Amino acid sequence: MITSLTQLELTIFRYIQATNRFPISVKNFIPLINNYKGDDWKQITQLIENTTDATTKNTDTYKKFLLPSYISYNKYFDRFIICWPPGFASPIHNHADNGCCLKILQGSLLETRYQYTPTTHNNYNNTSPFQLLQETTLLTNDISYLDNSIGLHSIANPGTNWAVSLHVYSPQNFTTTYYN
């Protein structure tokens, strides 16, 4: 059992070193992320709440916190804690080249997956480039994996309470593309 986010980072890093598989597939981290049973993420959600000023405490957006790396030479993956307000839905977006795993730590989230097929828009073509693939309700401790070859997704919190999730992306420093 992995009991802290720091221990999870170290376990993933050791896995990468031991397997020496490149390019990395975040999908291989699923068993490791599944073994994370800690509650140290609650300290992060308190930090987010305590550092959020009154003007940004609205529920119009989510709160995303990049976890600091305790391995100075970790250039392979990033970890985030994301807090989702009730009723919030992210735009459709892509992911880092090696994928993304997310684990629900609190509450539930709705993941909607899409196939993206760019089209040329004209007055006669009103077709969306996003084809619905599936909708999945993710409950506490559920894990989802996605990479761009599978599709894009949006995440929503349809509940009445905040939800919290852990995300692992590879490679580091990926800039997400959001679609309208």
Side-chain angles (χ1 to χ4, degrees):
M1 177 172 30
I2 299 171
T3 59
S4 74
L5 293 165
T6 303
Q7 185 183 9
L8 176 62
E9 178 189 28
L10 185 58
T11 302
I12 292 172
F13 189 77
R14 286 182 178 154
Y15 170 84
I16 292 168
Q17 288 181 314
T19 61
N20 202 27
R21 287 189 198 163
F22 294 93
I24 294 168
S25 173
V26 174
K27 187 174 189 173
N28 294 326
F29 302 164
I30 291 174
L32 307 175
I33 295 167
N34 190 47
N35 283 331
Y36 169 69
K37 308 295 184 197
D39 65 357
D40 53 336
W41 59 269
K42 293 177 182 177
Q43 297 169 358
I44 305 299
T45 61
Q46 289 173 347
L47 176 67
I48 291 170
E49 180 64 25
N50 292 338
T51 59
T52 304
D53 66 34
T55 61
T56 60
K57 280 193 180 178
N58 64 47
T59 58
D60 293 341
T61 189
Y62 66 131
K63 315 288 190 256
K64 187 173 184 178
F65 184 83
L66 173 64
L67 297 170
S69 178
Y70 294 98
I71 303 169
S72 60
Y73 43 89
N74 172 16
K75 61 182 181 208
Y76 303 112
F77 60 93
D78 282 327
R79 300 162 306 134
F80 289 87
I81 295 293
I82 302 180
C83 300
W84 304 88
F88 177 79
S90 74
I92 298 170
H93 58 278
N94 70 344
H95 287 94
D97 292 343
N98 302 329
C100 167
C101 270
L102 70 97
K103 179 176 184 171
I104 309 302
L105 301 174
Q106 174 183 297
S108 64
L109 294 171
L110 177 65
E111 178 184 38
T112 305
R113 293 184 176 193
Y114 301 89
Q115 181 65 46
Y116 177 65
T117 309
T119 60
T120 304
H121 182 75
N122 60 44
N123 291 335
Y124 306 106
N125 181 1
N126 244 353
T127 306
S128 170
F130 302 101
Q131 307 299 318
L132 178 66
L133 293 176
Q134 73 182 55
E135 291 185 329
T136 305
T137 299
L138 302 168
L139 305 175
T140 300
N141 291 317
D142 284 349
I143 295 176
S144 179
Y145 169 79
L146 187 68
D147 64 46
N148 296 332
S149 71
I150 296 170
L152 308 177
H153 76 177
S154 65
I155 300 289
N157 178 0
T160 57
N161 296 310
W162 282 75
V164 180
S165 54
L166 166 67
H167 297 245
V168 178
Y169 303 100
S170 176
Q172 283 188 329
N173 303 315
F174 176 73
T175 302
T176 303
T177 300
Y178 294 97
Y179 302 90
N180 291 330

